[in-house]
PDB file of all heavy atoms in Angstrom:
ATOM      1  N   THR W 129      10.799  -5.112  12.492  1.00  0.00           N
ATOM      2  CA  THR W 129      11.604  -5.889  11.595  1.00  0.00           C
ATOM      3  C   THR W 129      11.182  -5.800  10.175  1.00  0.00           C
ATOM      4  O   THR W 129      12.008  -5.667   9.233  1.00  0.00           O
ATOM      5  CB  THR W 129      11.632  -7.341  12.052  1.00  0.00           C
ATOM      6  OG1 THR W 129      12.185  -7.374  13.382  1.00  0.00           O
ATOM      7  CG2 THR W 129      12.508  -8.242  11.126  1.00  0.00           C
ATOM      8  N   GLN W 130       9.868  -5.879   9.944  1.00  0.00           N
ATOM      9  CA  GLN W 130       9.327  -5.745   8.558  1.00  0.00           C
ATOM     10  C   GLN W 130       9.724  -4.375   7.979  1.00  0.00           C
ATOM     11  O   GLN W 130      10.060  -4.276   6.801  1.00  0.00           O
ATOM     12  CB  GLN W 130       7.807  -5.907   8.544  1.00  0.00           C
ATOM     13  CG  GLN W 130       7.312  -7.251   8.771  1.00  0.00           C
ATOM     14  CD  GLN W 130       5.792  -7.315   8.888  1.00  0.00           C
ATOM     15  OE1 GLN W 130       5.195  -6.443   9.500  1.00  0.00           O
ATOM     16  NE2 GLN W 130       5.199  -8.367   8.332  1.00  0.00           N
ATOM     17  N   PHE W 131       9.623  -3.319   8.790  1.00  0.00           N
ATOM     18  CA  PHE W 131       9.955  -1.990   8.267  1.00  0.00           C
ATOM     19  C   PHE W 131      11.440  -1.831   7.910  1.00  0.00           C
ATOM     20  O   PHE W 131      11.715  -1.401   6.825  1.00  0.00           O
ATOM     21  CB  PHE W 131       9.612  -0.903   9.357  1.00  0.00           C
ATOM     22  CG  PHE W 131      10.132   0.470   9.037  1.00  0.00           C
ATOM     23  CD1 PHE W 131       9.530   1.213   8.006  1.00  0.00           C
ATOM     24  CD2 PHE W 131      11.276   0.978   9.637  1.00  0.00           C
ATOM     25  CE1 PHE W 131      10.017   2.445   7.701  1.00  0.00           C
ATOM     26  CE2 PHE W 131      11.708   2.235   9.275  1.00  0.00           C
ATOM     27  CZ  PHE W 131      11.120   2.953   8.340  1.00  0.00           C
ATOM     28  N   ILE W 132      12.320  -2.357   8.775  1.00  0.00           N
ATOM     29  CA  ILE W 132      13.764  -2.290   8.474  1.00  0.00           C
ATOM     30  C   ILE W 132      14.041  -3.068   7.262  1.00  0.00           C
ATOM     31  O   ILE W 132      14.758  -2.584   6.368  1.00  0.00           O
ATOM     32  CB  ILE W 132      14.560  -2.764   9.740  1.00  0.00           C
ATOM     33  CG1 ILE W 132      14.362  -1.771  10.909  1.00  0.00           C
ATOM     34  CG2 ILE W 132      15.997  -3.031   9.353  1.00  0.00           C
ATOM     35  CD1 ILE W 132      14.962  -2.307  12.204  1.00  0.00           C
ATOM     36  N   ASP W 133      13.528  -4.254   7.130  1.00  0.00           N
ATOM     37  CA  ASP W 133      13.797  -5.108   5.954  1.00  0.00           C
ATOM     38  C   ASP W 133      13.327  -4.503   4.680  1.00  0.00           C
ATOM     39  O   ASP W 133      14.051  -4.427   3.643  1.00  0.00           O
ATOM     40  CB  ASP W 133      13.208  -6.555   6.110  1.00  0.00           C
ATOM     41  CG  ASP W 133      13.934  -7.379   7.209  1.00  0.00           C
ATOM     42  OD1 ASP W 133      15.042  -6.978   7.605  1.00  0.00           O
ATOM     43  OD2 ASP W 133      13.318  -8.396   7.620  1.00  0.00           O
ATOM     44  N   LEU W 134      12.095  -4.004   4.701  1.00  0.00           N
ATOM     45  CA  LEU W 134      11.507  -3.402   3.453  1.00  0.00           C
ATOM     46  C   LEU W 134      12.213  -2.121   3.080  1.00  0.00           C
ATOM     47  O   LEU W 134      12.629  -1.980   1.903  1.00  0.00           O
ATOM     48  CB  LEU W 134      10.047  -3.082   3.671  1.00  0.00           C
ATOM     49  CG  LEU W 134       9.275  -2.390   2.513  1.00  0.00           C
ATOM     50  CD1 LEU W 134       9.362  -3.269   1.250  1.00  0.00           C
ATOM     51  CD2 LEU W 134       7.805  -2.147   2.901  1.00  0.00           C
ATOM     52  N   LEU W 135      12.543  -1.262   3.998  1.00  0.00           N
ATOM     53  CA  LEU W 135      13.224   0.004   3.684  1.00  0.00           C
ATOM     54  C   LEU W 135      14.615  -0.302   3.133  1.00  0.00           C
ATOM     55  O   LEU W 135      15.023   0.275   2.111  1.00  0.00           O
ATOM     56  CB  LEU W 135      13.337   0.866   4.979  1.00  0.00           C
ATOM     57  CG  LEU W 135      13.873   2.232   4.734  1.00  0.00           C
ATOM     58  CD1 LEU W 135      12.903   3.099   3.881  1.00  0.00           C
ATOM     59  CD2 LEU W 135      14.056   2.965   6.129  1.00  0.00           C
ATOM     60  N   TYR W 136      15.352  -1.213   3.779  1.00  0.00           N
ATOM     61  CA  TYR W 136      16.709  -1.555   3.332  1.00  0.00           C
ATOM     62  C   TYR W 136      16.701  -2.141   1.918  1.00  0.00           C
ATOM     63  O   TYR W 136      17.442  -1.700   1.000  1.00  0.00           O
ATOM     64  CB  TYR W 136      17.336  -2.448   4.339  1.00  0.00           C
ATOM     65  CG  TYR W 136      18.728  -2.889   4.003  1.00  0.00           C
ATOM     66  CD1 TYR W 136      19.791  -2.047   4.125  1.00  0.00           C
ATOM     67  CD2 TYR W 136      18.968  -4.224   3.521  1.00  0.00           C
ATOM     68  CE1 TYR W 136      21.072  -2.475   3.769  1.00  0.00           C
ATOM     69  CE2 TYR W 136      20.228  -4.606   3.165  1.00  0.00           C
ATOM     70  CZ  TYR W 136      21.288  -3.769   3.258  1.00  0.00           C
ATOM     71  OH  TYR W 136      22.519  -4.165   2.938  1.00  0.00           O
ATOM     72  N   VAL W 137      15.904  -3.232   1.693  1.00  0.00           N
ATOM     73  CA  VAL W 137      15.881  -3.938   0.428  1.00  0.00           C
ATOM     74  C   VAL W 137      15.425  -2.996  -0.680  1.00  0.00           C
ATOM     75  O   VAL W 137      16.053  -3.017  -1.750  1.00  0.00           O
ATOM     76  CB  VAL W 137      14.944  -5.189   0.557  1.00  0.00           C
ATOM     77  CG1 VAL W 137      14.670  -5.779  -0.824  1.00  0.00           C
ATOM     78  CG2 VAL W 137      15.556  -6.219   1.478  1.00  0.00           C
ATOM     79  N   ALA W 138      14.364  -2.231  -0.451  1.00  0.00           N
ATOM     80  CA  ALA W 138      13.857  -1.355  -1.534  1.00  0.00           C
ATOM     81  C   ALA W 138      14.911  -0.312  -1.919  1.00  0.00           C
ATOM     82  O   ALA W 138      15.060  -0.018  -3.145  1.00  0.00           O
ATOM     83  CB  ALA W 138      12.586  -0.616  -1.008  1.00  0.00           C
ATOM     84  N   HIS W 139      15.607   0.210  -0.950  1.00  0.00           N
ATOM     85  CA  HIS W 139      16.613   1.273  -1.299  1.00  0.00           C
ATOM     86  C   HIS W 139      17.899   0.700  -1.841  1.00  0.00           C
ATOM     87  O   HIS W 139      18.564   1.408  -2.640  1.00  0.00           O
ATOM     88  CB  HIS W 139      16.806   2.215  -0.119  1.00  0.00           C
ATOM     89  CG  HIS W 139      15.592   3.144   0.025  1.00  0.00           C
ATOM     90  ND1 HIS W 139      14.443   2.718   0.637  1.00  0.00           N
ATOM     91  CD2 HIS W 139      15.315   4.354  -0.483  1.00  0.00           C
ATOM     92  CE1 HIS W 139      13.522   3.628   0.505  1.00  0.00           C
ATOM     93  NE2 HIS W 139      14.055   4.678  -0.121  1.00  0.00           N
ATOM     94  N   GLN W 140      18.285  -0.514  -1.413  1.00  0.00           N
ATOM     95  CA  GLN W 140      19.436  -1.183  -2.094  1.00  0.00           C
ATOM     96  C   GLN W 140      19.135  -1.356  -3.590  1.00  0.00           C
ATOM     97  O   GLN W 140      19.941  -1.098  -4.384  1.00  0.00           O
ATOM     98  CB  GLN W 140      19.681  -2.558  -1.425  1.00  0.00           C
ATOM     99  CG  GLN W 140      20.317  -2.429  -0.072  1.00  0.00           C
ATOM    100  CD  GLN W 140      21.809  -1.956  -0.093  1.00  0.00           C
ATOM    101  OE1 GLN W 140      22.472  -2.223  -1.061  1.00  0.00           O
ATOM    102  NE2 GLN W 140      22.201  -1.222   0.930  1.00  0.00           N
ATOM    103  N   TYR W 141      17.920  -1.801  -3.875  1.00  0.00           N
ATOM    104  CA  TYR W 141      17.478  -1.995  -5.245  1.00  0.00           C
ATOM    105  C   TYR W 141      17.471  -0.676  -6.013  1.00  0.00           C
ATOM    106  O   TYR W 141      17.969  -0.555  -7.108  1.00  0.00           O
ATOM    107  CB  TYR W 141      16.129  -2.670  -5.292  1.00  0.00           C
ATOM    108  CG  TYR W 141      15.644  -2.907  -6.749  1.00  0.00           C
ATOM    109  CD1 TYR W 141      16.006  -4.064  -7.435  1.00  0.00           C
ATOM    110  CD2 TYR W 141      14.848  -1.976  -7.337  1.00  0.00           C
ATOM    111  CE1 TYR W 141      15.567  -4.271  -8.721  1.00  0.00           C
ATOM    112  CE2 TYR W 141      14.396  -2.163  -8.668  1.00  0.00           C
ATOM    113  CZ  TYR W 141      14.767  -3.261  -9.316  1.00  0.00           C
ATOM    114  OH  TYR W 141      14.329  -3.467 -10.592  1.00  0.00           O
TER     115      TYR W 141
END
Side-chain angles (χ1 to χ4, degrees):
T129 300
Q130 288 173 321
F131 171 73
I132 292 169
D133 290 345
L134 178 58
L135 188 64
Y136 177 76
V137 167
H139 286 82
Q140 286 291 328
Y141 180 87

